[in-house]
Amino acid sequence: MPHVSIKHFPRAFTEDEKADLVAELTRTVTRVFGVEPGSVSVAVEPVAPADWTAEVHVPEIEAKAGLLWKQPQYSQPIPTEGSR
């Protein structure tokens, strides 16, 4: 069953933003994978800017580069919270 996992710099989301993100992701995933909405799960995990390289960039982007369908376009050093 499709599971979408998003890691991001911490920020507050309104209930409307959460609902919109879940609805749009679910709509796309169900269309592309040909599954029912009930089979889709979505996780959203904040990661502090200071931890991004160690917790996300190295293990999720560098180590799994062959699985990425879209590469990030940021350059080193990894952007900090103030430069997103």
Side-chain angles (χ1 to χ4, degrees):
M1 305 280 97
H3 173 71
V4 178
S5 178
I6 299 173
K7 294 179 178 147
H8 64 93
F9 284 176
R11 62 157 285 209
F13 292 95
T14 67
E15 291 304 314
D16 285 344
E17 288 173 324
K18 291 177 186 179
D20 187 44
L21 181 61
V22 167
E24 292 299 324
L25 289 171
T26 300
R27 186 174 2 270
T28 300
V29 169
T30 57
R31 179 179 51 81
V32 171
F33 284 88
V35 297
E36 295 296 319
S39 67
V40 177
S41 56
V42 177
V44 180
E45 179 183 350
V47 177
D51 299 328
W52 188 262
T53 298
E55 292 184 17
V56 179
H57 190 82
V58 172
E60 297 288 329
I61 297 171
E62 287 183 11
K64 298 179 182 179
L67 298 177
L68 295 178
W69 288 14
K70 181 186 180 302
Q71 298 283 336
Q73 297 301 309
Y74 54 76
S75 59
Q76 296 295 333
I78 303 301
T80 60
E81 191 165 1
S83 65
R84 332 179 220 179

